[in-house]
Amino acid sequence: MTKLSSWHRGMLAGIAPIAMIVATAVPAQAAETAAAGTDAGRDGSDIAEGSTIVVTATAANEIAPVTASLQATQPQAIVSRSFIEDSLPATTDFNAIALISPSVSNYGGTNGPGLSESKAQIRGFQDGEYNITYDGVPFGDTNDPTHHSNTFFPSNTIETLVVDRGPGNASQLGQATFGGNINMFSRETRPDMGAELKGSYGTWNTYLLRAVLQSGKVAALNDSEFMLNAQHIKSDGARSYSPFKADNIFGKAVIPIGLDVKLTVLGMYNENKFNQPDKDGATLSQVAAFGKNFSLNNDPTSQTYYGYNHTHKTTDFEIVKLEANVSPSITLDNRSYTYSYDNETLSGNDVTLYATATPAQIAAANVVRLSATPVFTPTTAPAVAGVPGYTKTNKYRVYGDIAKAKFDFGFATLTAGGWYEHSNTYRQQRDVDLITGQPNYIEKAVTNPVTSAKTPSDIKFDQNSHIEHFEEFAELELRPVAGLTITPGIKHVSFKRSISADYNQTTRFAQDISATYTATLPFATINYQPTDQLSIYGQYARGFLMPPLADLYVANPDLSTVKPERSTNYQAGIVYHGSHLSIDADVYIINFKNKFAQDTTAPASAGTVFINLGAVSYKGAEAQATYAFENGVAIFANVSRNYAKTDNASDIVHTQVPNAPVMTAAGGLLYKHGPIRASLIDKYTGAQYATDGEPAAYRISPYNSADLSISYDFGIARVGLMINDLLDSTKVTNINTGKTALFDQYFYQPGRSVTGEITVKF
């Protein structure tokens, strides 16, 4: 591990530093707000529970599926626990929760809600180009900062989700403070003892069991509060031969240590098992023969046999948070954390091989036999029959500490701190004969250029990698006049990647490589509240995206000149919270440069060379509103118009970047009165392209999904019915391009699903 400086040792050593504290002073109307946190939501508002967001508790905000805070300094969407409980299936993942927000789209989830992984986009920024945090702790894969939506943090572990459409202030930490943030907040403990048992059953033989236990305040332990949450999901899945099983357990303790110090400890463990090809998706030939829900079959002589395509994932996530009010003007917070991910996969080598046969041939034979596919031995013996596939391991452990301190001077507040993170990762892939499990020697012959050692031809790669990541920041919130806050800030990032591989990915020979990337990022925000109901805000911010590990999969790393991708954000908006109307709107311009690319002009003798090449311009407008009537009925709508096009000097035509819809919209009706809760909400995703250049063949037409839910509370029990994708839309949501068009893989909406559930409370 890299030796720490004295500053970092000091920040990590003690109780010091502060946490996620609201950077703005709570305004005069605080008496009528629901501030999430220690007593969040306990007034029955269900607004922003578990977060540091402050939202005015109006009739509109209490029923709105998504709203914004008057203290916002960038566009945001706050999704409450009540919406998660009332309008979404219990199996849903965090991307589906975020989908209700303006400018958010997603694809994946083809096996049913939460039953397979999905990917979200924010304004056209892809997963890996924005942060996701849990209780203020950024998390993501260690090869690039992408995320697994149904492996970490199922919906039973989320109290509130906040989509920030911007990089945030200097205190917003992460590997990709670039295109925005999805900030999740953990389930809250309660002051009263209680228990909740939930069971649901629905389409595709999908059932869920959940138990939530609350200790209430334990007087013998200084009014400490504890909660335990366990969940089990099992389903046959929407796609053929694609069963899914997931188990999650989550625990949390909030322990007061005197009047001014609080210790919070939480941890979770998750295990998923499912059958799915590693490179998922169905070709058009497969769809023509077997339908849009095709994934796997029951033929043990084919690469698409379900027994050859299965994954076992385990994850854990732990945080220890210490908050201390040192004095009326000084607050400290320290968050130490660790999390891990372990993916063990067996997969067919190329499950698109059905594309080599015509639909008529496939239908006639029912399956395409691949037993003649050669599996080579290490000798010169003739090829033998087999089914080619590979094993895959991707596992990592991350350790980190976030330390923050807040100093309130009355006219201004200084927040400063730092973040240290270290990770260890092991990844491998090896070719095997799926029938026998023996090595399959099919890789190209490679000789180490230094040692002349020959790489075994069944090894794709076998690699260890590490990350050392430091961030230091400071921001000063100035309050020159009542209602006005101006917050300049600065952040410095230092990020070191290193690889120690017996067989590096792509090159396939032993390599020890490292690279360090740095960036200094300025920020400035303003928020002005001329009245208790209205605020106007603006933001200037620089964003940062760490280069992926793939930039070190090169024979000559010294020839690559990659620097971090950078974004410059300009945004302005307005938020209004009336007694019955909640509305916010914004405009934005984001200029993105230093796009990672392969240097196609490099000589063949140099091998693969990565450089920064290209730019993208993002701009648009967004709005959301809720109007609540006196009788418990509310109307909700949001819309975004998004431009995300290449902006290079050489561009003759500026084309929309892939997987960036030109617009999104959502709207519907909600009812929340007495024992009845109901909602009908439709999400529309505009046209987009699946690849660069806007080729007509890869245009994805607009699609939508309408969801209906209704429940009745009998007191001790609540009974509900949810219908997802009410109109049974099964349109294309994404296309992965293959070697030729025959091998392109298509992803479709899974279609209508119906779920009934019962919740019993004690």
Side-chain angles (χ1 to χ4, degrees):
M1 181 182 296
T2 301
K3 185 177 181 180
L4 304 184
S5 68
S6 59
W7 184 90
H8 290 108
R9 288 196 302 271
M11 293 295 279
L12 296 174
I15 291 178
I18 113 161
M20 288 300 203
I21 300 171
V22 181
T24 54
V26 178
Q29 77 274 21
E32 62 180 19
T33 64
T38 311
D39 296 315
R42 292 171 181 173
D43 57 359
S45 65
D46 291 329
I47 299 173
E49 216 170 317
S51 77
T52 52
I53 302 296
V54 179
V55 178
T56 308
T58 64
N61 283 334
E62 289 185 13
I63 196 172
V66 61
T67 187
S69 169
L70 287 168
Q71 284 74 50
T73 56
Q74 63 183 358
Q76 68 176 195
I78 305 167
V79 185
S80 69
R81 182 68 202 173
S82 61
F83 173 73
I84 298 171
E85 288 280 0
D86 298 342
S87 300
L88 297 175
T91 59
T92 199
D93 64 21
F94 56 73
N95 283 336
I97 298 172
L99 184 61
I100 192 65
S101 309
S103 290
V104 175
S105 58
N106 71 19
Y107 62 83
T110 54
N111 206 34
L115 305 180
S116 59
E117 191 168 309
S118 65
K119 295 291 183 182
Q121 300 79 47
I122 303 176
R123 294 174 168 174
F125 287 100
Q126 307 301 301
D127 181 37
E129 295 179 334
Y130 55 81
N131 281 330
I132 299 184
T133 70
Y134 189 77
D135 276 5
V137 173
F139 83 99
D141 272 0
T142 52
N143 56 325
D144 59 30
T146 52
H147 307 88
H148 302 283
S149 63
N150 65 350
T151 306
F152 287 98
F153 314 120
S155 66
N156 62 301
T157 68
I158 302 169
E159 196 78 48
T160 304
L161 184 146
V162 181
V163 179
D164 284 322
R165 301 188 297 277
N169 289 338
S171 58
Q172 176 72 56
L173 303 173
Q175 301 92 341
T177 49
F178 188 66
N181 301 277
I182 295 178
N183 298 311
M184 296 179 284
F185 298 90
S186 64
R187 291 295 299 270
E188 286 291 285
T189 60
R190 303 296 185 199
D192 300 317
M193 181 183 296
E196 177 182 299
L197 303 177
K198 178 186 290 287
S200 70
Y201 181 80
T203 306
W204 310 305
N205 195 29
T206 302
Y207 70 83
L208 173 144
L209 300 172
R210 178 188 298 171
V212 182
L213 307 177
Q214 296 277 2
S215 71
K217 291 184 181 294
V218 181
L221 296 174
N222 202 25
D223 286 342
S224 296
E225 298 177 2
F226 303 88
M227 69 98 66
L228 183 65
N229 187 330
Q231 178 173 283
H232 173 74
I233 299 172
K234 189 173 183 180
S235 175
D236 292 341
R239 305 184 69 188
S240 61
Y241 292 94
S242 298
F244 174 83
K245 186 174 76 170
D247 293 289
N248 173 268
I249 186 165
F250 169 83
K252 185 174 181 179
V254 179
I255 305 169
I257 304 173
L259 295 176
D260 297 311
V261 181
K262 181 175 68 174
L263 178 68
T264 301
V265 180
L266 69 82
M268 74 177 72
Y269 175 81
N270 201 78
E271 181 179 30
N272 288 8
K273 294 181 179 180
F274 54 90
N275 292 81
Q276 177 182 299
D278 192 33
K279 297 179 177 65
D280 196 22
T283 66
L284 290 179
S285 294
Q286 291 169 328
V287 171
F290 306 116
K292 294 178 179 179
N293 70 335
F294 175 77
S295 178
L296 297 171
N297 64 20
N298 64 345
D299 176 16
T301 65
S302 74
Q303 292 189 55
T304 47
Y305 177 51
Y306 73 92
Y308 300 149
N309 295 271
H310 53 78
T311 298
H312 181 202
K313 291 186 180 183
T314 56
T315 64
D316 66 79
F317 200 101
E318 294 81 33
I319 303 175
V320 177
K321 178 174 68 173
L322 188 64
E323 300 166 280
N325 297 319
V326 178
S327 72
S329 60
I330 301 176
T331 310
L332 306 176
D333 177 298
N334 194 84
R335 301 173 193 224
S336 296
Y337 64 90
T338 183
Y339 62 90
S340 75
Y341 173 85
D342 187 352
N343 175 354
E344 304 293 340
T345 290
L346 180 70
S347 178
N349 217 29
D350 184 357
V351 295
T352 68
L353 289 179
Y354 277 109
T356 61
T358 66
Q361 290 171 324
I362 295 173
N366 192 30
V367 291
V368 172
R369 303 288 175 174
L370 300 178
S371 58
T373 302
V375 176
F376 298 100
T377 67
T379 68
T380 58
V384 296
V387 177
Y390 60 89
T391 65
K392 182 178 86 169
T393 298
N394 181 11
K395 59 194 301 183
Y396 53 78
R397 167 68 66 180
V398 178
Y399 306 89
D401 191 271
I402 298 172
K404 297 186 180 183
K406 178 181 175 184
F407 306 91
D408 191 338
F409 305 109
F411 65 92
T413 300
L414 173 66
T415 304
W419 175 30
Y420 167 72
E421 186 172 82
H422 173 82
S423 68
N424 299 313
T425 302
Y426 173 68
R427 302 172 67 241
Q428 70 82 28
Q429 285 190 24
R430 282 170 166 76
D431 294 295
V432 295
D433 173 4
L434 293 170
I435 294 177
T436 65
Q438 296 301 306
N440 185 13
Y441 298 93
I442 60 173
E443 298 297 327
K444 181 180 178 181
V446 169
T447 300
N448 188 308
V450 177
T451 67
S452 298
K454 296 185 182 300
T455 300
S457 56
D458 65 320
I459 298 179
K460 293 176 182 285
F461 58 86
D462 193 300
Q463 171 199 91
N464 289 283
S465 63
H466 311 278
I467 292 174
E468 297 286 346
H469 186 177
F470 299 97
E471 293 191 16
E472 305 89 33
F473 72 90
E475 59 189 36
L476 182 65
E477 180 194 283
L478 302 168
R479 298 183 288 274
V481 298
L484 176 64
T485 61
I486 302 170
T487 310
I490 192 164
K491 175 163 57 186
H492 179 262
V493 179
S494 176
F495 187 89
K496 181 181 179 181
R497 283 194 180 279
S498 59
I499 286 178
S500 177
D502 291 335
Y503 308 100
N504 198 13
Q505 192 164 346
T506 305
T507 66
R508 294 185 53 242
F509 54 77
Q511 287 184 286
D512 288 291
I513 307 172
S514 66
T516 299
Y517 313 96
T518 62
T520 300
L521 307 173
F523 299 81
T525 64
I526 184 171
N527 179 286
Y528 178 56
Q529 297 184 46
T531 73
D532 289 348
Q533 296 177 309
L534 177 69
S535 72
I536 303 166
Y537 63 84
Q539 179 188 56
Y540 161 80
R542 297 293 299 274
F544 162 90
L545 176 63
M546 68 178 188
L549 188 64
D551 287 352
L552 301 183
Y553 301 163
V554 294
N556 299 290
D558 293 341
L559 298 179
S560 295
T561 59
V562 167
K563 298 178 181 178
E565 291 185 355
R566 303 287 287 270
S567 65
T568 303
N569 298 254
Y570 304 92
Q571 307 191 87
I574 186 170
V575 180
Y576 172 77
H577 289 170
S579 60
H580 291 274
L581 175 66
S582 174
I583 188 168
D584 62 270
D586 67 271
V587 293
Y588 67 91
I589 298 175
I590 305 171
N591 297 316
F592 154 33
K593 64 180 183 178
N594 288 358
K595 187 175 183 180
F596 306 134
Q598 183 176 332
D599 185 357
T600 57
T601 66
S605 59
T608 302
V609 175
F610 289 104
I611 59 175
N612 294 109
L613 179 69
V616 179
S617 177
Y618 297 80
K619 53 189 174 184
E622 303 156 325
Q624 60 187 9
T626 300
Y627 186 85
F629 298 91
E630 294 288 352
N631 58 359
V633 175
I635 302 173
F636 160 78
N638 67 41
V639 66
S640 70
R641 180 68 172 91
N642 308 104
Y643 173 105
K645 294 196 174 188
T646 58
D647 192 22
N648 305 305
S650 60
D651 287 343
I652 298 175
V653 177
H654 300 283
T655 58
Q656 193 84 353
V657 300
N659 301 119
V662 298
M663 69 166 295
T664 71
L669 294 171
L670 303 102
Y671 181 77
K672 187 176 180 179
H673 184 71
I676 301 175
R677 296 187 180 188
S679 66
L680 174 61
I681 296 177
D682 192 14
K683 175 73 181 199
Y684 172 89
T685 300
Q688 57 188 301
Y689 293 86
T691 189
D692 290 313
E694 300 187 5
Y698 291 97
R699 181 182 184 273
I700 299 174
S701 299
Y703 59 89
N704 72 302
S705 180
D707 298 333
L708 174 67
S709 69
I710 186 168
S711 66
Y712 191 92
D713 195 331
F714 292 93
I716 192 173
R718 188 173 82 163
V719 178
L721 179 70
M722 295 184 180
I723 305 176
N724 290 89
D725 194 1
L726 180 67
L727 303 179
D728 198 25
S729 176
T730 58
K731 292 186 177 181
V732 174
T733 61
N734 190 39
I735 308 169
N736 283 349
T737 57
K739 291 171 287 187
T740 70
L742 286 174
F743 293 86
D744 291 343
Q745 293 175 289
Y746 288 72
F747 298 81
Y748 301 88
Q749 295 172 276
R752 183 188 300 118
S753 62
V754 181
T755 303
E757 65 177 37
I758 182 169
T759 305
V760 180
K761 295 184 178 182
F762 303 95

